[in-house]
Amino acid sequence: MSLFGAGLLDLLFPRRCLSCLVFLDHPLSRPRAAPALENFLCPACREQLPPVFVPRIENFSSALDQVFSLYPYTGLLEKLIPAWKYQGRAEFFPLVEILLARVLEIASIRQTKIDLFTSVPLSPRSFRRRGFNQAHFIAAGTARLLAGGRARPLLRKVVETPQQVSLDRIARRQNLQADSFQVCRPAAIAGRRILLCDDVMTTGSTLNAAALALRAGGAVSVSALTLARVVSDRKKVR
């Protein structure tokens, strides 16, 4: 594209960094066929992205066979994920998809046998307030990138509970129980191996409660995948 054409695009449709709002080069002014981080984040903000994490945690709970977390919940992700979830910023969707694609090629995730992909559901009230379920978006992207398939809503949240983000670690563990979730169609999950997706794992209580409900509904295996995981300084995940 000519300098004149690139300048005209930037004038008509200026792009800014999703984090610091500094102006970016317009993506059409560069020869890029696929979406890239450069289209959404400036160089300084890209440097603040945490490194790829992807620990595989086995024997985390009796309900989950293993847990994969793609990034540590630190740096720029501590700012981007809440803005995406709570501020209704649709422009974050392609960025999250790029972050998923960066790490889902890792062999240990691909070696996990999965029949169905699903997500931790929101309560009806939370879904009406946000207009989307960020965990389902992660599940849908994971299903497509790993298996060329689709994610299915296998659970519904039947108990209205306080948002986990508003609670401390002890209260988080007590906030959600297995009966907080209900399997939509038990026949669809009987004997199946399920990957349960969410955005951020802190104590794991939400994932554990949802996995217990899936197992009670007939699933033979439940693993979990989260975009990020909170790791305390006192106990690093290995």
Side-chain angles (χ1 to χ4, degrees):
M1 178 175 289
S2 68
L3 290 176
F4 174 79
L8 182 61
L9 279 173
D10 289 334
L11 178 64
L12 296 176
F13 307 104
R15 295 289 296 267
R16 291 178 180 266
C17 173
L18 293 183
S19 177
C20 69
L21 301 182
V22 69
F23 281 107
L24 302 173
D25 291 335
H26 197 283
L28 295 182
S29 68
R30 288 179 263 116
R32 295 184 182 274
L37 287 175
E38 290 87 343
N39 294 344
F40 303 96
L41 297 173
C42 70
C45 288
R46 292 199 302 273
E47 290 181 0
Q48 297 177 40
L49 281 171
V52 172
F53 191 34
V54 201
R56 182 172 65 179
I57 310 162
E58 299 183 6
N59 301 319
F60 168 75
S61 73
S62 59
L64 286 163
D65 294 290
Q66 50 191 346
V67 178
F68 298 97
S69 295
L70 306 185
Y71 297 90
Y73 189 55
T74 186
L76 192 62
L77 288 186
E78 283 189 285
K79 178 180 179 180
L80 294 184
I81 292 178
W84 176 48
K85 289 170 59 173
Y86 302 121
Q87 297 176 15
R89 296 183 60 181
E91 66 269 28
F92 280 81
F93 282 97
L95 174 59
V96 172
E97 193 165 37
I98 291 170
L99 292 175
L100 281 173
R102 289 175 73 197
V103 289
L104 285 180
E105 292 295 328
I106 290 175
S108 60
I109 301 177
R110 287 193 172 275
Q111 291 169 358
T112 301
K113 295 181 178 179
I114 303 166
D115 300 315
L116 298 171
F117 296 81
T118 193
S119 58
V120 173
L122 294 175
S123 69
R125 181 186 301 174
S126 293
F127 186 82
R128 287 193 299 269
R129 183 169 58 247
R130 296 185 198 175
F132 76 103
N133 180 357
Q134 76 285 346
H136 181 74
F137 181 81
I138 292 168
T142 301
R144 181 171 45 75
L145 291 167
L146 287 184
R150 297 186 303 170
R152 301 184 184 183
L154 302 179
L155 292 169
R156 54 177 169 262
K157 191 174 182 182
V158 294
V159 176
E160 187 71 42
T161 56
Q163 291 186 0
Q164 292 286 80
V165 71
S166 66
L167 305 174
D168 60 26
R169 295 182 70 89
I170 296 176
R172 284 171 185 257
R173 294 191 182 97
Q174 299 171 345
N175 187 39
L176 287 163
Q177 304 298 326
D179 59 4
S180 299
F181 301 101
Q182 187 177 86
V183 173
C184 300
R185 292 176 298 164
I189 70 170
R192 311 303 289 275
R193 296 164 295 193
I194 297 173
L195 184 68
L196 176 67
C197 298
D198 205 358
D199 56 342
V200 179
M201 176 179 174
T202 303
T203 65
S205 58
T206 300
L207 291 171
N208 188 64
L212 284 171
L214 289 169
R215 285 188 177 275
V220 296
S221 172
V222 182
S223 294
L225 180 144
T226 66
L227 182 62
R229 176 183 173 125
V230 174
V231 181
S232 69
D233 293 333
R234 292 173 296 177
K235 186 178 181 180
K236 296 293 185 183
V237 174
R238 292 181 172 86

